[in-house]
Short mmCIF file of all heavy atoms in Angstrom, two decimals:
data_model
loop_
_atom_site.label_atom_id
_atom_site.label_comp_id
_atom_site.label_asym_id
_atom_site.label_seq_id
_atom_site.Cartn_x
_atom_site.Cartn_y
_atom_site.Cartn_z
N GLY A 565 -1.98 81.13 76.96
CA GLY A 565 -2.37 81.61 78.27
C GLY A 565 -3.08 80.49 79.02
O GLY A 565 -4.35 80.40 78.85
N TYR A 566 -2.30 79.68 79.60
CA TYR A 566 -2.83 78.37 80.16
C TYR A 566 -3.73 78.68 81.37
O TYR A 566 -4.48 77.87 81.74
CB TYR A 566 -1.74 77.50 80.52
CG TYR A 566 -0.92 76.98 79.29
CD1 TYR A 566 0.55 77.30 79.33
CD2 TYR A 566 -1.52 76.49 78.20
CE1 TYR A 566 1.28 77.00 78.17
CE2 TYR A 566 -0.74 76.23 77.04
CZ TYR A 566 0.62 76.51 77.05
OH TYR A 566 1.30 76.22 75.90
N GLU A 567 -3.72 79.93 81.95
CA GLU A 567 -4.55 80.33 83.14
C GLU A 567 -5.72 81.16 82.80
O GLU A 567 -6.46 81.66 83.59
CB GLU A 567 -3.63 80.97 84.18
CG GLU A 567 -2.52 80.07 84.68
CD GLU A 567 -2.99 78.93 85.30
OE1 GLU A 567 -3.99 78.77 86.09
OE2 GLU A 567 -2.31 77.74 85.11
N ILE A 568 -5.87 81.33 81.49
CA ILE A 568 -6.91 82.28 80.91
C ILE A 568 -8.14 81.43 80.62
O ILE A 568 -8.00 80.53 79.80
CB ILE A 568 -6.41 83.10 79.76
CG1 ILE A 568 -5.15 83.92 80.12
CG2 ILE A 568 -7.55 83.99 79.21
CD1 ILE A 568 -5.41 84.80 81.20
N GLY A 569 -9.27 81.83 81.00
CA GLY A 569 -10.52 81.08 80.54
C GLY A 569 -11.71 81.97 80.31
O GLY A 569 -11.63 83.13 79.96
N ASP A 570 -12.89 81.42 80.59
CA ASP A 570 -14.22 81.94 80.23
C ASP A 570 -14.36 83.33 81.10
O ASP A 570 -15.10 84.26 80.64
CB ASP A 570 -15.31 81.12 80.48
CG ASP A 570 -15.22 79.88 79.47
OD1 ASP A 570 -14.78 80.19 78.26
OD2 ASP A 570 -15.85 78.86 79.69
N LYS A 571 -13.88 83.44 82.37
CA LYS A 571 -13.97 84.55 83.14
C LYS A 571 -13.48 85.88 82.40
O LYS A 571 -14.21 86.93 82.40
CB LYS A 571 -13.37 84.42 84.52
CG LYS A 571 -14.07 83.48 85.48
CD LYS A 571 -13.35 83.33 86.77
CE LYS A 571 -14.07 82.42 87.66
NZ LYS A 571 -13.47 82.35 88.99
N THR A 572 -12.33 85.67 81.68
CA THR A 572 -11.74 86.69 80.99
C THR A 572 -12.66 87.23 79.87
O THR A 572 -12.98 88.35 79.70
CB THR A 572 -10.39 86.35 80.27
OG1 THR A 572 -9.44 86.19 81.45
CG2 THR A 572 -9.91 87.36 79.38
N LEU A 573 -13.26 86.22 79.03
CA LEU A 573 -14.08 86.58 77.89
C LEU A 573 -15.41 87.14 78.41
O LEU A 573 -15.85 88.24 77.69
CB LEU A 573 -14.22 85.32 77.10
CG LEU A 573 -13.15 84.76 76.52
CD1 LEU A 573 -13.57 83.66 75.47
CD2 LEU A 573 -12.26 85.75 75.83
N ILE A 574 -15.97 86.74 79.46
CA ILE A 574 -17.29 87.39 79.92
C ILE A 574 -16.99 88.84 80.40
O ILE A 574 -17.82 89.64 80.01
CB ILE A 574 -17.82 86.50 81.09
CG1 ILE A 574 -18.11 85.19 80.53
CG2 ILE A 574 -18.94 87.20 81.70
CD1 ILE A 574 -18.52 84.06 81.53
N SER A 575 -15.92 89.09 81.16
CA SER A 575 -15.56 90.38 81.65
C SER A 575 -15.30 91.39 80.38
O SER A 575 -15.81 92.41 80.39
CB SER A 575 -14.51 90.32 82.46
OG SER A 575 -14.09 91.63 83.00
N VAL A 576 -14.56 90.81 79.42
CA VAL A 576 -14.26 91.61 78.23
C VAL A 576 -15.46 91.92 77.45
O VAL A 576 -15.70 93.08 77.02
CB VAL A 576 -13.18 90.92 77.29
CG1 VAL A 576 -13.15 91.53 75.91
CG2 VAL A 576 -11.88 90.87 77.94
N ALA A 577 -16.42 90.98 77.35
CA ALA A 577 -17.56 91.20 76.50
C ALA A 577 -18.47 92.21 77.26
O ALA A 577 -19.16 92.96 76.61
CB ALA A 577 -18.34 89.84 76.41
N GLU A 578 -18.50 92.23 78.55
CA GLU A 578 -19.41 93.17 79.27
C GLU A 578 -18.85 94.45 79.36
O GLU A 578 -19.66 95.52 79.26
CB GLU A 578 -19.54 92.59 80.82
CG GLU A 578 -20.28 91.27 80.91
CD GLU A 578 -20.35 90.83 82.34
OE1 GLU A 578 -19.64 91.40 83.16
OE2 GLU A 578 -21.14 89.91 82.70
N ASN A 579 -17.61 94.72 79.16
CA ASN A 579 -16.93 95.98 79.42
C ASN A 579 -16.34 96.59 78.12
O ASN A 579 -16.27 97.82 78.02
CB ASN A 579 -15.81 95.97 80.40
CG ASN A 579 -16.38 95.60 81.85
OD1 ASN A 579 -16.94 96.45 82.57
ND2 ASN A 579 -16.24 94.43 82.35
N CYS A 580 -15.95 95.74 77.20
CA CYS A 580 -15.19 96.28 75.97
C CYS A 580 -15.94 96.10 74.76
O CYS A 580 -15.79 95.12 73.97
CB CYS A 580 -13.80 95.62 75.82
SG CYS A 580 -12.78 95.66 77.44
N LYS A 581 -17.00 96.93 74.65
CA LYS A 581 -17.85 96.72 73.43
C LYS A 581 -17.34 97.02 72.08
O LYS A 581 -17.90 96.75 71.03
CB LYS A 581 -19.18 97.66 73.63
CG LYS A 581 -19.84 97.59 74.98
CD LYS A 581 -20.48 96.23 75.07
CE LYS A 581 -21.29 96.25 76.54
NZ LYS A 581 -22.01 94.94 76.75
N SER A 582 -16.17 97.70 72.05
CA SER A 582 -15.52 98.06 70.81
C SER A 582 -14.53 97.01 70.40
O SER A 582 -13.76 97.17 69.34
CB SER A 582 -14.73 99.41 70.98
OG SER A 582 -15.69 100.45 71.35
N LEU A 583 -14.41 95.83 71.12
CA LEU A 583 -13.43 94.82 70.70
C LEU A 583 -13.69 94.38 69.20
O LEU A 583 -14.88 93.96 68.87
CB LEU A 583 -13.55 93.74 71.63
CG LEU A 583 -12.44 92.62 71.46
CD1 LEU A 583 -11.08 93.16 72.03
CD2 LEU A 583 -12.84 91.31 72.30
N ARG A 584 -12.73 94.35 68.52
CA ARG A 584 -12.85 93.92 67.02
C ARG A 584 -11.90 92.78 66.68
O ARG A 584 -12.26 92.00 65.78
CB ARG A 584 -12.56 95.08 66.03
CG ARG A 584 -13.58 96.15 66.27
CD ARG A 584 -14.95 95.81 65.76
NE ARG A 584 -15.98 96.78 65.95
CZ ARG A 584 -16.70 96.89 67.08
NH1 ARG A 584 -16.69 95.97 67.98
NH2 ARG A 584 -17.66 97.88 67.18
N GLU A 585 -10.90 92.55 67.38
CA GLU A 585 -9.83 91.53 67.06
C GLU A 585 -9.50 90.70 68.36
O GLU A 585 -9.13 91.28 69.43
CB GLU A 585 -8.53 91.97 66.42
CG GLU A 585 -8.83 92.80 65.10
CD GLU A 585 -7.51 93.30 64.57
OE1 GLU A 585 -6.50 92.66 64.73
OE2 GLU A 585 -7.61 94.28 63.60
N LEU A 586 -9.79 89.41 68.32
CA LEU A 586 -9.44 88.47 69.48
C LEU A 586 -8.83 87.34 69.14
O LEU A 586 -9.18 86.50 68.14
CB LEU A 586 -10.82 88.07 70.08
CG LEU A 586 -10.83 87.16 71.32
CD1 LEU A 586 -10.04 87.85 72.36
CD2 LEU A 586 -12.27 86.74 71.70
N THR A 587 -7.51 87.12 69.66
CA THR A 587 -6.70 85.95 69.51
C THR A 587 -6.57 85.19 70.86
O THR A 587 -6.17 85.77 71.81
CB THR A 587 -5.32 86.24 68.97
OG1 THR A 587 -5.49 86.92 67.70
CG2 THR A 587 -4.52 85.18 68.93
N LEU A 588 -6.90 83.91 70.82
CA LEU A 588 -6.77 83.10 71.97
C LEU A 588 -6.09 81.77 71.52
O LEU A 588 -6.61 80.63 71.80
CB LEU A 588 -8.18 82.70 72.48
CG LEU A 588 -9.04 83.91 73.09
CD1 LEU A 588 -10.48 83.58 73.07
CD2 LEU A 588 -8.53 84.61 74.20
N GLN A 589 -4.90 81.81 71.16
CA GLN A 589 -4.27 80.70 70.69
C GLN A 589 -3.79 79.79 71.92
O GLN A 589 -3.04 80.20 72.80
CB GLN A 589 -3.02 81.02 70.01
CG GLN A 589 -3.26 81.42 68.49
CD GLN A 589 -2.00 81.68 67.68
OE1 GLN A 589 -1.11 82.35 68.09
NE2 GLN A 589 -1.95 81.12 66.47
N PHE A 590 -4.18 78.50 71.83
CA PHE A 590 -3.85 77.49 72.73
C PHE A 590 -4.09 77.98 74.28
O PHE A 590 -3.40 77.84 75.13
CB PHE A 590 -2.24 77.17 72.66
CG PHE A 590 -2.10 76.51 71.41
CD1 PHE A 590 -1.51 77.12 70.41
CD2 PHE A 590 -2.29 75.11 71.24
CE1 PHE A 590 -1.21 76.53 69.14
CE2 PHE A 590 -2.05 74.54 69.90
CZ PHE A 590 -1.55 75.22 68.99
N CYS A 591 -5.32 78.62 74.42
CA CYS A 591 -5.77 79.12 75.69
C CYS A 591 -6.77 77.84 76.08
O CYS A 591 -8.08 77.92 75.68
CB CYS A 591 -6.48 80.36 75.67
SG CYS A 591 -5.45 81.76 75.32
N GLU A 592 -6.27 76.89 76.83
CA GLU A 592 -7.07 75.57 76.78
C GLU A 592 -8.22 75.72 77.84
O GLU A 592 -9.05 74.72 77.78
CB GLU A 592 -6.05 74.54 77.38
CG GLU A 592 -4.92 74.21 76.29
CD GLU A 592 -3.90 73.25 76.79
OE1 GLU A 592 -3.83 72.98 77.99
OE2 GLU A 592 -2.85 72.98 75.99
N ARG A 593 -8.38 76.57 78.52
CA ARG A 593 -9.55 76.81 79.42
C ARG A 593 -10.72 77.56 78.82
O ARG A 593 -11.85 77.53 79.48
CB ARG A 593 -9.08 77.57 80.83
CG ARG A 593 -8.06 76.75 81.63
CD ARG A 593 -7.82 77.27 83.04
NE ARG A 593 -7.00 76.55 83.79
CZ ARG A 593 -6.66 76.75 85.05
NH1 ARG A 593 -7.37 77.77 85.61
NH2 ARG A 593 -5.86 75.98 85.62
N VAL A 594 -10.54 78.08 77.67
CA VAL A 594 -11.66 78.86 77.02
C VAL A 594 -12.60 77.86 76.43
O VAL A 594 -12.17 76.88 75.78
CB VAL A 594 -11.01 79.68 75.93
CG1 VAL A 594 -12.23 80.26 75.05
CG2 VAL A 594 -10.23 80.79 76.53
N SER A 595 -13.87 78.10 76.58
CA SER A 595 -15.03 77.08 76.12
C SER A 595 -16.05 77.97 75.59
O SER A 595 -15.91 79.11 75.25
CB SER A 595 -15.57 76.37 77.37
OG SER A 595 -16.37 77.28 78.29
N ASP A 596 -17.12 77.24 75.17
CA ASP A 596 -18.30 77.90 74.44
C ASP A 596 -18.83 78.96 75.27
O ASP A 596 -19.38 79.93 74.65
CB ASP A 596 -19.32 76.73 74.17
CG ASP A 596 -18.79 75.75 73.06
OD1 ASP A 596 -17.87 76.09 72.32
OD2 ASP A 596 -19.37 74.71 72.96
N ALA A 597 -18.93 78.81 76.60
CA ALA A 597 -19.42 79.83 77.44
C ALA A 597 -18.92 81.19 77.10
O ALA A 597 -19.63 82.25 77.19
CB ALA A 597 -19.41 79.48 78.90
N GLY A 598 -17.56 81.24 77.08
CA GLY A 598 -16.85 82.57 76.80
C GLY A 598 -17.36 83.19 75.37
O GLY A 598 -17.41 84.36 75.26
N LEU A 599 -17.43 82.22 74.31
CA LEU A 599 -17.68 82.67 73.11
C LEU A 599 -19.14 83.20 73.00
O LEU A 599 -19.43 84.05 72.23
CB LEU A 599 -17.57 81.55 72.09
CG LEU A 599 -16.06 81.10 71.72
CD1 LEU A 599 -16.05 80.14 70.57
CD2 LEU A 599 -15.13 82.27 71.64
N TYR A 600 -20.09 82.47 73.76
CA TYR A 600 -21.44 83.05 73.86
C TYR A 600 -21.42 84.58 74.17
O TYR A 600 -22.13 85.41 73.67
CB TYR A 600 -22.31 82.23 74.84
CG TYR A 600 -22.52 80.91 74.54
CD1 TYR A 600 -22.68 80.00 75.57
CD2 TYR A 600 -22.48 80.39 73.23
CE1 TYR A 600 -22.75 78.54 75.23
CE2 TYR A 600 -22.64 78.99 72.95
CZ TYR A 600 -22.87 78.15 74.02
OH TYR A 600 -23.03 76.80 73.74
N ALA A 601 -20.61 85.02 75.33
CA ALA A 601 -20.62 86.26 75.82
C ALA A 601 -20.04 87.21 74.70
O ALA A 601 -20.56 88.35 74.55
CB ALA A 601 -19.80 86.35 77.09
N ILE A 602 -18.95 86.78 74.18
CA ILE A 602 -18.34 87.66 73.08
C ILE A 602 -19.33 87.83 71.92
O ILE A 602 -19.51 89.01 71.38
CB ILE A 602 -17.01 86.98 72.61
CG1 ILE A 602 -15.91 87.00 73.68
CG2 ILE A 602 -16.51 87.67 71.30
CD1 ILE A 602 -15.36 88.35 73.92
N ALA A 603 -19.87 86.85 71.42
CA ALA A 603 -20.88 86.94 70.27
C ALA A 603 -22.00 87.86 70.60
O ALA A 603 -22.54 88.47 69.68
CB ALA A 603 -21.35 85.42 69.93
N GLU A 604 -22.47 87.87 71.84
CA GLU A 604 -23.66 88.64 72.21
C GLU A 604 -23.35 90.23 72.28
O GLU A 604 -24.09 91.05 72.05
CB GLU A 604 -24.23 88.22 73.49
CG GLU A 604 -25.48 88.89 73.93
CD GLU A 604 -26.07 88.33 75.24
OE1 GLU A 604 -25.60 87.27 75.73
OE2 GLU A 604 -26.99 88.85 75.69
N ASN A 605 -22.07 90.52 72.56
CA ASN A 605 -21.69 91.91 72.90
C ASN A 605 -20.68 92.50 71.95
O ASN A 605 -20.59 93.75 71.89
CB ASN A 605 -21.20 92.05 74.30
CG ASN A 605 -22.17 91.56 75.34
OD1 ASN A 605 -23.02 92.45 75.84
ND2 ASN A 605 -22.11 90.35 75.79
N CYS A 606 -19.90 91.72 71.25
CA CYS A 606 -18.67 92.27 70.37
C CYS A 606 -18.95 91.80 68.97
O CYS A 606 -19.03 90.63 68.63
CB CYS A 606 -17.38 91.77 71.00
SG CYS A 606 -17.21 92.25 72.68
N SER A 607 -18.94 92.87 68.00
CA SER A 607 -18.98 92.55 66.71
C SER A 607 -17.52 92.33 66.04
O SER A 607 -16.88 93.32 65.66
CB SER A 607 -19.69 93.53 65.92
OG SER A 607 -19.72 93.25 64.55
N LEU A 608 -17.05 91.03 66.26
CA LEU A 608 -15.59 90.86 65.91
C LEU A 608 -15.35 90.87 64.38
O LEU A 608 -16.26 90.57 63.56
CB LEU A 608 -15.13 89.43 66.35
CG LEU A 608 -15.15 89.30 67.90
CD1 LEU A 608 -14.70 87.87 68.25
CD2 LEU A 608 -14.12 90.31 68.53
N ARG A 609 -14.18 91.30 64.01
CA ARG A 609 -13.79 91.16 62.56
C ARG A 609 -12.66 90.10 62.37
O ARG A 609 -12.57 89.46 61.39
CB ARG A 609 -13.23 92.68 62.10
CG ARG A 609 -14.23 93.66 62.06
CD ARG A 609 -13.66 94.96 61.40
NE ARG A 609 -13.61 94.76 59.94
CZ ARG A 609 -12.43 94.57 59.27
NH1 ARG A 609 -11.31 94.47 59.84
NH2 ARG A 609 -12.52 94.44 57.96
N LYS A 610 -11.94 89.89 63.43
CA LYS A 610 -10.86 88.80 63.46
C LYS A 610 -10.92 87.95 64.66
O LYS A 610 -11.05 88.53 65.68
CB LYS A 610 -9.46 89.36 63.14
CG LYS A 610 -9.25 90.20 61.95
CD LYS A 610 -7.78 90.67 61.92
CE LYS A 610 -7.54 91.43 60.42
NZ LYS A 610 -6.23 91.97 60.27
N LEU A 611 -10.87 86.66 64.51
CA LEU A 611 -11.03 85.76 65.63
C LEU A 611 -10.05 84.54 65.38
O LEU A 611 -10.05 83.92 64.32
CB LEU A 611 -12.35 85.19 65.92
CG LEU A 611 -12.68 84.13 66.91
CD1 LEU A 611 -12.36 84.76 68.28
CD2 LEU A 611 -14.08 83.68 66.91
N ASN A 612 -9.14 84.32 66.24
CA ASN A 612 -8.25 83.14 66.27
C ASN A 612 -8.49 82.31 67.53
O ASN A 612 -8.09 82.80 68.59
CB ASN A 612 -6.84 83.70 66.29
CG ASN A 612 -5.74 82.65 65.93
OD1 ASN A 612 -5.96 81.43 66.23
ND2 ASN A 612 -4.75 82.94 65.39
N LEU A 613 -8.92 81.17 67.24
CA LEU A 613 -9.17 80.13 68.36
C LEU A 613 -8.22 78.87 68.26
O LEU A 613 -8.55 77.92 68.79
CB LEU A 613 -10.65 79.72 68.29
CG LEU A 613 -11.67 80.82 68.56
CD1 LEU A 613 -13.12 80.42 68.33
CD2 LEU A 613 -11.56 81.45 69.95
N CYS A 614 -7.12 79.04 67.55
CA CYS A 614 -6.31 77.86 67.29
C CYS A 614 -5.94 77.18 68.64
O CYS A 614 -5.38 77.82 69.45
CB CYS A 614 -5.10 78.33 66.59
SG CYS A 614 -3.87 77.05 66.24
N GLY A 615 -6.21 75.91 68.71
CA GLY A 615 -5.85 75.09 69.86
C GLY A 615 -6.63 75.23 71.10
O GLY A 615 -6.20 74.69 72.11
N CYS A 616 -7.73 75.87 70.94
CA CYS A 616 -8.71 75.99 72.12
C CYS A 616 -9.62 74.78 72.12
O CYS A 616 -10.69 74.75 71.53
CB CYS A 616 -9.60 77.29 72.13
SG CYS A 616 -8.54 78.75 72.07
N MET A 617 -9.10 73.75 72.74
CA MET A 617 -9.65 72.32 72.58
C MET A 617 -11.08 72.17 72.99
O MET A 617 -11.75 71.22 72.74
CB MET A 617 -8.70 71.33 73.23
CG MET A 617 -7.30 71.51 72.73
SD MET A 617 -7.00 70.94 71.10
CE MET A 617 -7.30 69.13 71.16
#
Side-chain angles (χ1 to χ4, degrees):
Y566 300 120
E567 301 298 320
I568 304 297
D570 292 332
K571 290 183 179 179
T572 289
L573 297 189
I574 293 171
S575 183
V576 167
E578 291 175 349
N579 295 283
C580 306
K581 309 293 185 180
S582 299
L583 191 71
R584 294 295 176 265
E585 299 183 24
L586 177 62
T587 294
L588 300 167
Q589 283 187 311
F590 296 98
C591 295
E592 298 175 349
R593 295 190 177 189
V594 170
S595 73
D596 292 339
L599 292 189
Y600 295 153
I602 291 292
E604 185 177 350
N605 294 279
C606 305
S607 182
L608 296 180
R609 297 189 72 253
K610 296 183 179 182
L611 176 62
N612 189 332
L613 298 171
C614 177
C616 297
M617 306 293 288

